[in-house]
Amino acid sequence: MELTIFILRLAIYILAFPMYLLNFLGLWSRICKKCFPYILARFTVMYNEQMASKKRELFGNLQEFAGPSGKLSLLEVGCGTGANFRFYPPGCRVTCIDPNPNFEKFLIKSIAENRHLQFERFVIAARENMHQVADGSVDVVVCTLVLCSVKNQEQILREVCRVLRPGGAFYFMEHVAAERSTWNSFWHQVLDPVWPLLFDGCRLTRESWKTLERAGFSKLKLQHIQAPLSWELVRPHIYGYAVK
């Protein structure tokens, strides 16, 4: 099996050599930053259609974490096109962080379509360093399809804990590594080297649940599922929330 994976990876390296060359020259990331928001905008329409029931289930109790004012203060990390906005409760105050400024025009469209929310600001920053957000200043942090692509999962979770108020919650929905000895796991291992180049740093083989378990939350509610997605490679998912 390992030999087969090695041979297939080698073939992919050869086929993807132009991308690797552009990446080495520093050009590929510029191309991706401009093109990826358009790709993600199309993908999130499909993803929301197929995952709507799971998202409604996940975000159904968000309002329980609202502060004394009754208004929920929410920070979305890696907000992308704003695909989660329609699942947030009315009156929710939303701040968004994403390292890619090219998402802004998509966010503006999503804000216009979700007037039930109070949009506060869009911060362009690395998700592992959210220094623009004050300590203990938000009730809820949301992160969907982000832990697969960050450079340092432990650091982003430290930042999440820093910005959350005591008793605040971190909500997540992530695709993860498939169960070992399955065909999905086989193709994850074959494609993982080239996948980040195609999908803005995304990795197929991350066992993100282990990082969450080590993060030191006082409570962690986490479920493993096979998501009802047409794209089988990203069906292995975890979702849930953790309380600081």
Side-chain angles (χ1 to χ4, degrees), residues 21-232:
L21 180 60
L22 288 171
N23 191 52
F24 176 76
L25 295 172
L27 300 174
W28 187 252
S29 62
R30 296 181 197 174
I31 295 168
C32 283
K33 271 191 178 294
K34 289 189 176 181
C35 296
F36 188 66
Y38 293 92
I39 296 168
L40 191 63
R42 289 178 174 272
F43 172 77
T44 52
V45 170
M46 176 273 291
Y47 188 85
N48 265 0
E49 286 175 358
Q50 297 178 357
M51 295 293 286
S53 63
K54 293 298 180 186
K55 283 195 174 186
R56 281 192 290 269
E57 177 189 337
L58 174 63
F59 297 130
N61 69 336
L62 274 175
Q63 191 61 38
E64 294 177 14
F65 292 97
S69 68
K71 281 198 171 184
L72 184 72
S73 174
L74 184 149
L75 172 69
E76 181 160 355
V77 179
C79 56
T81 61
N84 291 324
F85 287 180
R86 67 187 178 101
F87 300 99
Y88 296 158
C92 179
R93 301 196 310 269
V94 179
T95 297
C96 292
I97 283 187
D98 202 284
N100 190 340
N102 296 299
F103 277 118
E104 188 166 13
K105 68 178 181 180
F106 294 93
L107 275 179
I108 291 168
K109 182 175 180 291
S110 290
I111 292 161
E113 293 170 351
N114 292 277
R115 297 291 187 182
H116 66 290
L117 303 178
Q118 181 182 332
F119 185 75
E120 298 202 324
R121 57 178 174 145
F122 173 47
V123 179
I124 300 166
R127 292 148 304 188
E128 295 92 339
N129 181 11
M130 301 185 286
H131 66 271
Q132 298 94 330
V133 183
D135 296 4
S137 61
V138 297
D139 300 315
V140 165
V141 176
V142 171
C143 183
T144 60
L145 302 182
V146 169
L147 293 179
C148 59
S149 61
V150 296
K151 292 178 181 177
N152 188 322
Q153 289 186 332
E154 288 80 6
Q155 178 59 26
I156 191 174
L157 292 179
R158 282 193 290 270
E159 280 289 271
V160 166
C161 289
R162 179 184 66 78
V163 303
L164 276 175
R165 65 164 176 79
F170 172 57
Y171 283 73
F172 55 88
M173 179 177 281
E174 301 286 338
H175 76 84
V176 293
E179 186 179 345
R180 293 178 187 182
S181 302
T182 62
W183 277 112
N184 242 358
S185 178
F186 171 81
W187 286 110
H188 280 185
Q189 292 176 71
V190 169
L191 295 170
D192 194 56
V194 74
W195 200 262
L197 287 179
L198 295 171
F199 298 102
D200 199 29
C202 173
R203 305 304 299 250
L204 288 167
T205 56
R206 286 195 168 169
E207 298 174 327
S208 301
W209 65 91
K210 293 182 178 179
T211 312
L212 285 160
E213 289 166 354
R214 295 193 302 264
F217 291 104
S218 65
K219 175 184 176 182
L220 176 61
K221 185 178 179 181
L222 182 153
Q223 294 184 60
H224 288 259
I225 61 166
Q226 287 295 310
L229 296 170
S230 52
W231 206 357
E232 190 169 344

